[in-house]
Amino acid sequence: MNKEDFFIKQFVNDTKLIGDDGAVIGKWVYSNDAFFENVHFKKEWMSLKQIAQKAMLVNISDAIAMNAKPKYALLTVAIPKKYSQKDLKELAKGFKKVAKQFGIEIIGGDTISNIKLDISVTIISKTKKPILRSGIKKEDLLCYTGTLGTSKRDLEKLFSGKKVSKKSKFLKPKLHGEFFYKIAKYVSASMDISDGLFFELERMSKQSKVGFEFFEKIDKEVGCSGEEYELLFSFDKKYKEKIEKLAKKYDVPLTIFAKAIKGKYSCECVNHHFKD
Amino acid sequence: MNKEDFFIKQFVNDTKLIGDDGAVIGKWVYSNDAFFENVHFKKEWMSLKQIAQKAMLVNISDAIAMNAKPKYALLTVAIPKKYSQKDLKELAKGFKKVAKQFGIEIIGGDTISNIKLDISVTIISKTKKPILRSGIKKEDLLCYTGTLGTSKRDLEKLFSGKKVSKKSKFLKPKLHGEFFYKIAKYVSASMDISDGLFFELERMSKQSKVGFEFFEKIDKEVGCSGEEYELLFSFDKKYKEKIEKLAKKYDVPLTIFAKAIKGKYSCECVNHHFKD
């Protein structure tokens, strides 16, 4: 077991709320994600504005995957001493731009001085019908949005000193909130793809107690690509047409790749965040 | 203006919720504090359990100061790769011990690998009557709980390589929730003392638009001592006896040191977190 899972395991017996993209309490959903320098990004890869934007977007992605609308945010921002006022303004701009775009009010947090730029965001969202990872029924179809694989490719480019397109999903995740809120009533389980499709499927398999029968082989370049922030979800096959129609309407590529069966699924990708 | 304040200033025009120990939304209060290695503590000063405990307590202190009861917590925990499973267990123990003591459910968060141990905690609390920093009326009396100055002294000891008592408030803040919830109905404004009495008084002066007339000179060793996590609050003098009686009952030392007057108060301590 990797250290991340080992640490989280210390807490799961005391609560039923750990194990989804967010914790549901009444109509509120709470999600929290770190975005740390030299862990999730390197300074030379992105502008300060892009960094703040992505820190927000990866958290909003969790809210969307729970069928929740982000309302408020708390920011922990640890900032290097050498940052100028111009730097701080750029950083603030990134947070504010995304907040405005999604109708989020930034209500507080903590700002400290640190050796590197480390951000942690808590998003408070509202939902009428939270969608969990545990809702997959046998025979449900599994699908993901968008195109997988580009984030891995772009990350490799960045690591080897090359540039990537400004439109790269690695720099700016492309969320599909509008589409997903519309289809939410047909969805049995969902989550966002932050650690790679295969990795998330293992999590869903555990939570929903099902295995998967793949319709076609999915390449590791696609299935192990993390930081995609696409949606992974399941639905009863009777809703297939309705969902496909709405995907078309909102211009969201959809790949139906498996159905849920009796069994268990294990991923063979390497966890890039926390190697043993 | 220091960088911390400059950064926060970028956000205050977009919300009315920034500027207190927590943000109030309906009956919920959200507070968030970072607890970072080499910023708030050094590894050699405290055990992992003590570190986790303090990370929780400084956040719970915010909730209490708002007259809110902590209910849920989200933890961002960035952990060095070299930490053993035993280390992780110790760390988890600290979080869980405080959570249990205060009836808090740890509902989620994020765990990542990092070069040092950096913690950020979001506490979700419930209140019927939040107490803000802005409620001081002219002629109100100002007071603080406990003894101030020991945290500064202990911090200096630790910096010079000396040991401090296991009971040091710097290692384990002593909160006065039980007492404060009882007197809350008499309190006009409150906050906790995290950056030092004088520093917090400046914040209260700004929020409440009052100055202070001190009854006696307060030494800098006392007034500039941060990390005290004592309560600073104000009340109408007609409640003085009631409050003093309850302080005695709960064995909480109380120092009434000033009254609110027309004017403005500025602190002359150095902000230790974020020097320009």
Side-chain angles (χ1 to χ4, degrees):
Chain A
M1 184 184 293
N2 70 46
K3 287 180 185 175
E4 187 177 352
D5 289 342
F6 180 83
F7 186 69
I8 295 166
K9 211 186 134 202
Q10 309 303 311
F11 298 96
V12 290
N13 287 337
D14 301 333
T15 182
K16 285 175 187 166
L17 297 169
I18 289 176
D20 259 289
D21 294 62
V24 184
I25 295 166
K27 62 185 176 185
W28 297 103
V29 177
Y30 301 100
S31 48
N32 173 268
D33 262 314
F35 197 61
F36 272 41
E37 186 169 345
N38 301 335
V39 180
H40 302 93
F41 68 91
K42 285 185 186 289
K43 248 317 273 311
E44 53 273 30
W45 294 351
M46 302 163 82
S47 72
L48 289 172
K49 199 175 157 191
Q50 284 175 322
I51 290 166
Q53 281 181 346
K54 186 164 176 185
M56 288 290 280
L57 289 168
V58 301
N59 273 281
I60 295 168
S61 176
D62 283 328
I64 292 172
M66 302 283 297
N67 186 32
K69 294 205 176 159
K71 294 283 178 191
Y72 306 102
L74 294 150
L75 314 177
T76 300
V77 192
I79 305 173
K81 279 201 179 75
K82 61 169 188 270
Y83 277 31
S84 67
Q85 288 203 343
K86 200 182 151 220
D87 292 335
L88 297 179
K89 268 194 177 170
E90 275 304 298
L91 200 57
K93 250 189 209 167
F95 287 115
K96 288 166 75 167
K97 193 182 164 191
V98 175
K100 199 175 169 191
Q101 194 186 333
F102 286 85
I104 295 169
E105 191 175 344
I106 295 170
I107 57 170
D110 197 8
T111 310
I112 59 164
S113 169
N114 194 38
I115 49 161
K116 60 190 183 79
L117 178 62
D118 294 337
I119 300 167
S120 171
V121 178
T122 299
I123 295 275
I124 303 164
S125 326
K126 219 171 181 174
T127 184
K128 279 177 188 159
K129 183 215 170 203
I131 304 177
L132 309 181
R133 297 176 181 174
S134 54
I136 310 176
K137 302 269 178 298
K138 259 167 265 175
E139 297 294 317
D140 274 1
L141 295 174
L142 273 289
C143 75
Y144 61 82
T145 59
T147 314
L148 300 181
T150 57
S151 283
K152 188 168 189 285
R153 217 165 50 224
D154 283 350
L155 182 59
E156 282 159 6
K157 269 190 194 169
L158 288 167
F159 263 119
S160 66
K162 287 177 197 149
K163 293 227 163 184
V164 299
S165 157
K166 267 190 184 171
K167 287 182 181 166
S168 166
K169 269 200 309 184
F170 182 83
L171 299 181
K172 193 174 177 188
K174 210 171 161 180
L175 308 183
H176 308 290
E178 239 188 319
F179 161 68
F180 196 66
Y181 297 136
K182 282 282 177 213
I183 63 156
K185 57 183 171 228
Y186 309 127
V187 173
S188 54
S190 63
M191 64 184 300
D192 72 343
I193 301 175
S194 54
D195 294 324
L197 174 65
F198 293 160
F199 207 86
E200 312 302 8
L201 280 172
E202 181 176 315
R203 288 174 169 151
M204 277 197 142
S205 162
K206 268 185 201 161
Q207 298 278 338
S208 289
K209 297 185 178 67
V210 293
F212 306 112
E213 183 185 304
F214 288 79
F215 300 144
E216 290 179 24
K217 186 181 158 33
I218 296 175
D219 204 84
K220 271 200 175 182
E221 292 299 306
V222 169
C224 296
S225 179
E227 310 248 359
E228 294 282 355
Y229 300 103
E230 294 291 350
L231 290 160
L232 165 62
F233 60 94
S234 64
F235 54 87
D236 190 305
K237 60 176 184 282
K238 70 181 175 204
Y239 298 126
K240 187 167 173 279
E241 265 177 58
K242 280 184 178 150
I243 288 171
E244 282 178 328
K245 205 175 150 192
L246 284 162
K248 214 165 192 172
K249 186 180 166 193
Y250 286 95
D251 201 18
V252 176
L254 213 62
T255 306
I256 300 173
F257 65 91
K259 74 170 183 189
I261 53 171
K262 198 180 160 184
K264 200 177 154 182
Y265 172 82
S266 294
C267 152
E268 282 178 18
C269 311
V270 178
N271 181 351
H272 58 292
H273 278 322
F274 214 140
K275 286 175 194 151
D276 283 303
Chain B
M1 185 183 293
N2 71 44
K3 288 180 185 174
E4 187 177 350
D5 289 342
F6 180 82
F7 185 70
I8 295 166
K9 210 186 136 202
Q10 309 304 312
F11 299 95
V12 290
N13 288 337
D14 301 332
T15 182
K16 284 176 187 166
L17 296 170
I18 289 177
D20 259 289
D21 294 61
V24 184
I25 294 165
K27 62 185 175 184
W28 297 103
V29 177
Y30 300 99
S31 47
N32 172 269
D33 262 313
F35 197 62
F36 272 40
E37 186 170 344
N38 301 335
V39 180
H40 302 92
F41 67 91
K42 286 185 185 289
K43 246 320 271 310
E44 53 272 32
W45 294 351
M46 301 162 83
S47 72
L48 289 171
K49 200 177 157 190
Q50 283 175 323
I51 290 166
Q53 283 181 345
K54 186 164 175 184
M56 288 289 280
L57 288 169
V58 301
N59 273 282
I60 295 168
S61 175
D62 283 329
I64 293 172
M66 302 283 296
N67 188 31
K69 294 205 177 158
K71 293 284 179 191
Y72 305 102
L74 294 150
L75 315 177
T76 300
V77 191
I79 305 172
K81 279 200 179 77
K82 61 171 187 267
Y83 277 31
S84 66
Q85 289 203 342
K86 201 184 150 218
D87 291 335
L88 298 179
K89 269 194 177 169
E90 275 304 298
L91 200 56
K93 249 189 210 168
F95 287 116
K96 289 167 74 167
K97 194 183 164 188
V98 175
K100 201 177 168 188
Q101 194 186 334
F102 285 87
I104 294 170
E105 193 174 342
I106 295 169
I107 58 171
D110 196 8
T111 310
I112 59 163
S113 170
N114 194 39
I115 49 161
K116 60 190 182 81
L117 178 62
D118 294 336
I119 300 167
S120 171
V121 178
T122 299
I123 296 275
I124 302 164
S125 327
K126 219 171 182 175
T127 184
K128 280 176 187 158
K129 182 215 171 202
I131 303 177
L132 309 181
R133 297 176 181 176
S134 55
I136 310 176
K137 302 270 177 300
K138 258 167 265 172
E139 297 294 319
D140 274 1
L141 296 173
L142 272 291
C143 75
Y144 62 81
T145 58
T147 315
L148 300 182
T150 58
S151 282
K152 188 169 191 284
R153 216 163 53 223
D154 283 350
L155 182 59
E156 282 159 5
K157 268 190 193 170
L158 288 166
F159 263 119
S160 65
K162 287 177 196 148
K163 294 228 161 184
V164 299
S165 157
K166 267 189 183 173
K167 287 181 183 167
S168 166
K169 270 200 308 183
F170 181 83
L171 300 181
K172 194 176 177 184
K174 211 172 162 178
L175 308 184
H176 308 291
E178 238 188 320
F179 160 68
F180 196 67
Y181 297 136
K182 282 283 176 209
I183 63 156
K185 58 182 169 228
Y186 310 127
V187 174
S188 53
S190 63
M191 66 184 299
D192 71 344
I193 301 174
S194 55
D195 293 325
L197 174 65
F198 293 161
F199 208 86
E200 312 302 7
L201 280 172
E202 181 177 314
R203 288 173 167 151
M204 278 196 141
S205 162
K206 269 185 200 160
Q207 298 278 338
S208 290
K209 297 186 178 69
V210 292
F212 305 112
E213 181 185 306
F214 288 79
F215 300 143
E216 289 178 25
K217 186 179 159 31
I218 296 175
D219 204 83
K220 270 200 176 183
E221 293 299 306
V222 169
C224 297
S225 178
E227 310 249 358
E228 294 282 354
Y229 300 102
E230 294 291 348
L231 290 160
L232 165 63
F233 60 94
S234 63
F235 54 87
D236 188 304
K237 60 176 182 282
K238 71 183 173 201
Y239 298 125
K240 186 166 175 280
E241 266 179 56
K242 279 183 180 151
I243 289 172
E244 283 179 327
K245 205 176 149 191
L246 283 161
K248 214 166 192 173
K249 187 180 164 192
Y250 286 95
D251 202 19
V252 175
L254 212 63
T255 306
I256 300 173
F257 64 91
K259 75 170 183 189
I261 53 170
K262 199 180 161 183
K264 200 179 155 181
Y265 171 83
S266 294
C267 153
E268 283 178 18
C269 311
V270 178
N271 181 351
H272 59 292
H273 278 322
F274 214 139
K275 287 173 194 153
D276 284 303

